[in-house]
Amino acid sequence: SSIGCPHFGTCPGCVVDNFVGDIDIIESAKLYFSSSSIQKHVLSSSRSGQSSYDYDDNDDEFYKVRVPSSITQWRTQAKLAVKSGSTWSRNSGCKIGLYQRNSHDVLSIPDCEVHHPSINRAIDAIVKATQKVRTPAYQEDTGQGLLRYVQCQVELSTGKVCLTLVMNAEKLKECQPHLSYLVKELKKSDPKLWHSIWCHCNDSAGNAIFARDATRWHPIDGPPYIREKLPGADPDSREGLLYFSPMVFRQSNYEGFGEIAKQVREAIPNGSKVTELYAGVGLLGLSALLHHGKLAEKYNDPDGGIQWLRCSDE
């Protein structure tokens, strides 16, 4: 179905607004999995009992694209660029959005259909706050100005936003007094929206949004982590909480990735030894651990569950 976004066609964020499975990368994946070498490997693994796939290369179900979440309001994390709100005044506040295709001109996307509503609300609040306190936006041509990017991460259980303000500075003190003015105005204008506010100092000349140095991250206000339920955890208990700081990778479509985690944990045989590579905070491995532990408890199986789990972010 169509998402009906007012920005579609001019915004570089979405390439289709209906039939979301009909894109080049999906067709490329289908070609990969239908290649003779992959077919031979999957068939061999299936016959030897090493694979849980019941594979038939004539079965359309094997290639069926399943969209794991709604196609609107799914993005719970967004990194957006900042430009001056006016070409004639550098103290007129900021414009926030995405770079238009093949340029560094920022396109505002205030009613983005794929953003979680809290992100659209946050961007509106930030734009108005920068106008009120005259926050200077970063200027690529001169290297002057302060606010370069913003990152918004939504805590799904509360709808609150963990905001990171990326500043053109080496040290936190170089962001003052503008940073204090902006944070004060944000908290005053929409106090119930913010989970926490961070400052990240990045004065590099490149296009990287974040500097690699962990000392460039500075908590300004609020708790240090947003908490999300581990996929498969009881929604009414405190079990299975994952903790994310803004410097840690998380999936932008948390709900959709939860559906992937469900398929992964169900494909792992009971009693396995599991290593998760590129694990981040360990979402896939911990989800499998919780799932198989519950099965062992349900069926009173002393040898059930996962024997051990190792998660590495390398």
Side-chain angles (χ1 to χ4, degrees), residues 58-122:
N58 294 316
D59 185 1
D60 288 340
E61 277 294 303
F62 187 80
Y63 297 110
K64 184 176 180 180
V65 176
R66 293 175 176 84
V67 180
S69 69
S70 168
I71 63 171
T72 61
Q73 302 185 356
W74 56 263
R75 180 175 283 280
T76 58
Q77 173 175 282
K79 300 183 183 81
L80 299 171
V82 175
K83 287 288 185 182
S84 177
S86 170
T87 56
W88 54 268
S89 172
R90 303 212 169 176
N91 290 316
S92 58
C94 301
K95 179 165 65 172
I96 299 174
L98 294 176
Y99 288 131
Q100 297 188 54
R101 288 185 180 90
N102 304 316
S103 79
H104 272 200
D105 297 327
V106 171
L107 173 73
S108 297
I109 49 172
D111 301 309
C112 175
E113 285 289 319
V114 300
H115 280 168
H116 188 284
S118 292
I119 292 180
N120 287 337
R121 179 176 158 191

Side-chain angles (χ1 to χ4, degrees), residues 8-179:
F8 184 76
T10 56
C11 172
C14 295
V15 295
V16 294
D17 67 344
N18 54 24
F19 301 107
V20 295
D22 293 344
I23 56 175
D24 290 344
I25 194 168
I26 297 293
E27 294 305 314
S28 177
K30 288 181 178 179
L31 288 172
Y32 172 78
F33 283 107
S34 62
S35 67
S36 57
S37 59
I38 294 299
Q39 287 186 30
K40 191 181 299 181
H41 171 75
V42 175
L43 280 169
S44 174
S45 298
S46 181
R47 288 167 181 164
S48 65
Q50 297 175 1
S51 170
S52 62
Y53 289 113
D54 184 11
Y55 177 75
D56 179 354
D57 64 348
N58 294 316
D59 185 1
D60 288 340
E61 277 294 303
F62 187 80
Y63 297 110
K64 184 176 180 180
V65 176
R66 293 175 176 84
V67 180
S69 69
S70 168
I71 63 171
T72 61
Q73 302 185 356
W74 56 263
R75 180 175 283 280
T76 58
Q77 173 175 282
K79 300 183 183 81
L80 299 171
V82 175
K83 287 288 185 182
S84 177
S86 170
T87 56
W88 54 268
S89 172
R90 303 212 169 176
N91 290 316
S92 58
C94 301
K95 179 165 65 172
I96 299 174
L98 294 176
Y99 288 131
Q100 297 188 54
R101 288 185 180 90
N102 304 316
S103 79
H104 272 200
D105 297 327
V106 171
L107 173 73
S108 297
I109 49 172
D111 301 309
C112 175
E113 285 289 319
V114 300
H115 280 168
H116 188 284
S118 292
I119 292 180
N120 287 337
R121 179 176 158 191
I123 298 306
D124 180 62
I126 298 165
V127 168
K128 290 176 178 176
T130 63
Q131 292 170 348
K132 186 160 186 178
V133 302
R134 299 185 152 196
T135 303
Y138 175 65
Q139 306 286 329
E140 281 185 304
D141 53 348
T142 65
Q144 302 298 309
L146 194 58
L147 186 60
R148 298 184 70 166
Y149 300 95
V150 297
Q151 175 180 260
C152 297
Q153 297 171 302
V154 181
E155 185 177 60
L156 285 171
S157 61
T158 63
K160 293 187 175 185
V161 172
C162 170
L163 171 65
T164 300
L165 302 166
V166 181
M167 297 292 197
N168 176 37
E170 180 183 4
K171 299 182 183 299
L172 182 63
K173 64 181 180 180
E174 298 170 12
C175 304
Q176 302 297 0
H178 293 288
L179 176 61

Side-chain angles (χ1 to χ4, degrees), residues 163-286:
L163 171 65
T164 300
L165 302 166
V166 181
M167 297 292 197
N168 176 37
E170 180 183 4
K171 299 182 183 299
L172 182 63
K173 64 181 180 180
E174 298 170 12
C175 304
Q176 302 297 0
H178 293 288
L179 176 61
S180 293
Y181 296 156
L182 181 56
V183 171
K184 184 177 180 180
E185 180 60 29
L186 288 170
K187 292 175 63 180
K188 175 185 172 184
S189 64
D190 201 343
K192 294 183 178 180
L193 175 61
W194 310 110
H195 168 278
S196 51
I197 299 176
W198 289 65
C199 176
H200 176 79
C201 295
N202 181 8
D203 59 344
S204 65
N207 292 328
I209 295 176
F210 297 134
R212 290 184 176 273
D213 188 350
T215 64
R216 297 293 188 103
W217 290 88
H218 305 282
I220 305 300
D221 185 77
Y225 305 103
I226 57 176
R227 304 187 303 177
E228 299 292 5
K229 275 290 183 181
L230 191 64
D234 181 353
D236 298 321
S237 77
R238 287 180 57 85
E239 74 172 2
L241 286 172
L242 292 176
Y243 291 75
F244 295 90
S245 80
M247 67 184 79
V248 173
F249 174 80
R250 69 173 252 172
Q251 293 285 343
S252 295
N253 188 345
Y254 192 81
E255 178 190 356
F257 196 69
E259 291 299 308
I260 295 174
K262 179 177 183 292
Q263 294 196 18
V264 169
R265 65 178 178 252
E266 291 176 356
I268 296 172
N270 190 37
S272 294
K273 301 172 183 177
V274 177
T275 298
E276 181 186 0
L277 303 178
Y278 298 98
V281 296
L283 187 151
L284 290 175
L286 291 169

